[in-house]
Amino acid sequence: MDVNAAVAAAAAIAGLCTGVIAMLAFRWSEREQKRPTRTSLRPDGNAVLPPGVDTVLSVLSSSAVVLDESDSVVKASSAAYALGLVRGGRLAVEPMLHMARDTRRDGEIRQVELDLPRRGTGRGEALAVSARVAPLGSRLVLLLVEDLTEARRIEAVRRDFVANVSHELKTPVGALSLLSEAVMDASDDPEAVQRFAGRMEIEATRLTNLVQEIIDLSRVQNDDPLEDAEPVRVQQLVEEAIDRCRQQAGSKQITMASGGAPDLSVWGNRSQLAAALGNLVENAVNYSPARTRVGIAARKVAAQGGNLIEIAVTDQGLGISEKDRERVFERFYRVDPARSRATGGTGLGLAIVKHVAASHGGEVTVWSSEGQGSTFTLRLPETGTARGRTTGRSLLVDGAVDADGPYETDSLESLPAPEALP
């Protein structure tokens, strides 16, 4: 009996000790869960990132924002500030803030696409972004934002290009179809047949030009012109451009004058450069009134990275409005569609100039004033410069206005500056 009593007493004591230890362990666990960890709080009580997270966020291309339990910003990348996501230490986009709170509550990863107002512009332009929210540990929430604006713009340009190509091809093809039917119906009327045949020739020429310019644009976009680059004399490019437009200019009694510094040369693909300058001169002739002047002048200017050769084409046309200047280099864009069709324009000439300039490491800009004419300036690297040996270096500014105003040269004294024209 004494032995059994001793065993029972020992078992009771052991059970009591186990219970006390379990209770103390439970209390300690609760206290540790509530206690801020070393990686979640600074000495001043503010949340910080777990080790290594800061390094990962710094190499991400996305805009990153980390929020704590009170929705305060613990970490934000410079891109997040640039997009206007963070202001005054808080997340400034309300939909994203709601997403972060929902994710903190249930731990679910959420993603949404939003259109945000662009900071610093009054034109109502929106930024297209994709926001993804995920929990970061038990206390923090990570927000990653991708800027989709450029991707959407490129997709819109691609859609517009396909739609415009379809429309531009259908117009002359449809006209040829109708004219061929008219020729058959008027087979017993020689004068009508001759008239319809002349119209068919015009539409066939327009279709041929359109197809050729589409091919040229595709080539300058996909090919590297500097693979077979060579020194190209600017004077030869100017002479070729003038010869290309001599007949058109003569029919309108337009005088073409050239001048500027002699013995200039650029580095690039000769055929592409000739096509680009030819398009500028052809546009100047087509959009100039009869009995006016078109001037082509070249000069060398100093620039960071090497000298540039500027080739300016000045006309005395109607000019281009400010809103149109921003879009004249877009494919198929026409300032006056009716006038462009009358002159046989396809809306691709300036787009080709833009891509040729960009692929040669240069740029094309326009100065214009309504009623005072326009000046298109093609800037290209000079032969032998470091800039001229750089492949695909683009300095292009779409629709930029030449800060120097209209191009003038002492060699073209007989050509009035655009602002002096009536």
Side-chain angles (χ1 to χ4, degrees):
M1 288 294 296
D2 294 338
V3 174
N4 292 335
V7 171
I13 293 172
L16 179 61
C17 292
T18 302
V20 171
I21 293 173
M23 182 181 65
L24 293 175
F26 177 75
R27 292 288 181 88
W28 179 84
S29 176
E30 282 190 328
R31 192 162 51 249
E32 284 299 309
Q33 290 180 5
K34 293 179 180 180
R35 178 182 301 171
T37 62
R38 182 172 57 87
T39 60
S40 64
L41 288 181
R42 292 194 185 100
D44 58 5
N46 296 324
V48 296
L49 295 177
V53 174
D54 194 8
T55 303
V56 174
L57 296 181
S58 65
V59 299
L60 290 178
S61 59
S62 307
S63 301
V65 180
V66 179
L67 304 176
D68 62 12
E69 294 172 308
S70 62
D71 293 331
S72 296
V73 174
V74 177
K75 174 72 176 180
S77 63
S78 58
Y81 286 99
L83 288 178
L85 304 180
V86 178
R87 298 175 190 171
R90 309 287 294 184
L91 185 62
V93 183
E94 198 66 26
M96 295 182 186
L97 189 57
H98 291 315
M99 290 173 57
R101 291 170 179 169
D102 293 339
T103 296
R104 186 184 298 110
R105 183 179 62 253
D106 56 24
E108 294 290 333
I109 297 176
R110 289 173 169 80
Q111 184 167 352
V112 68
E113 292 188 1
L114 301 170
D115 290 331
L116 306 179
R118 189 187 296 269
R119 297 184 63 187
T121 62
R123 293 180 293 177
E125 298 178 351
L127 288 172
V129 300
S130 174
R132 185 178 180 87
V133 180
L136 185 62
S138 60
R139 301 176 182 278
L140 304 178
V141 174
L142 172 64
L143 170 67
L144 295 178
V145 179
E146 292 282 352
D147 188 355
L148 305 178
T149 308
E150 184 65 14
R152 286 193 179 180
R153 188 191 68 81
I154 293 174
E155 182 61 29
V157 169
R158 184 181 295 110
R159 288 197 304 267
D160 291 344
F161 180 73
V162 173
N164 286 328
V165 166
S166 301
H167 173 74
E168 296 293 338
L169 290 176
K170 285 179 181 178
T171 300
V173 169
L176 287 172
S177 178
L178 292 175
L179 289 169
S180 64
E181 294 179 4
V183 169
M184 288 188 293
D185 293 340
S187 57
D188 56 347
D189 186 350
E191 293 184 0
V193 169
Q194 185 176 6
R195 184 172 67 255
F196 292 140
R199 291 289 306 278
M200 290 178 68
E201 183 179 7
I202 293 174
E203 296 298 333
T205 301
R206 176 176 296 172
L207 180 60
T208 301
N209 293 338
L210 176 60
V211 171
Q212 184 59 51
E213 290 203 340
I214 292 175
I215 294 173
D216 291 341
L217 179 60
S218 176
R219 182 179 295 115
V220 300
Q221 285 181 312
N222 297 324
D223 293 349
D224 182 2
L226 301 186
E227 287 184 355
D228 301 318
E230 59 179 336
V232 181
R233 292 187 62 230
V234 173
Q235 186 60 35
Q236 291 181 349
L237 295 177
V238 173
E239 291 173 356
E240 290 181 21
I242 292 176
D243 289 339
R244 169 178 166 177
C245 305
R246 193 178 300 278
Q247 182 177 357
Q248 296 167 281
S251 64
K252 299 174 66 175
Q253 300 180 15
I254 292 177
T255 302
M256 291 190 290
S258 63
D263 300 326
L264 299 178
S265 63
V266 295
W267 182 260
N269 184 290
R270 179 184 179 81
S271 62
Q272 289 192 15
L273 293 174
L277 184 58
N279 285 345
L280 291 180
V281 177
E282 186 175 16
N283 273 3
V285 172
N286 286 338
Y287 290 95
S288 292
R291 294 179 294 278
T292 57
R293 293 172 180 264
V294 170
I296 307 102
R299 67 176 181 177
K300 177 166 63 175
V301 295
Q304 185 177 4
N307 293 331
L308 289 175
I309 303 300
E310 287 188 350
I311 309 173
V313 180
T314 302
D315 64 57
Q316 298 176 343
L318 299 177
I320 306 171
S321 66
E322 183 177 356
K323 66 180 182 66
D324 289 321
R325 283 200 300 269
E326 298 179 357
R327 302 189 60 190
V328 291
F329 295 104
E330 294 181 13
R331 291 170 288 190
F332 293 110
Y333 184 78
R334 297 183 177 94
V335 175
D336 185 350
R339 181 173 175 82
S340 295
R341 294 187 187 280
T343 60
T346 62
L348 290 175
L350 291 179
I352 292 174
V353 176
K354 164 184 170 178
H355 286 285
V356 169
S359 61
H360 282 75
E363 63 176 343
V364 59
T365 59
V366 58
W367 175 94
S368 186
S369 180
E370 292 185 87
Q372 297 186 15
S374 305
T375 297
F376 286 85
T377 303
L378 183 64
R379 296 185 179 92
L380 298 167
E382 184 184 21
T383 301
T385 63
R387 182 195 296 265
R389 295 188 294 270
T390 302
T391 301
R393 178 179 176 183
S394 172
L395 302 177
L396 189 66
V397 180
D398 292 343
V401 179
D402 188 351
D404 297 331
Y407 191 100
E408 299 179 20
T409 173
D410 295 337
S411 301
L412 293 176
E413 294 179 354
S414 59
L415 182 66
E419 71 269 22
L421 297 177

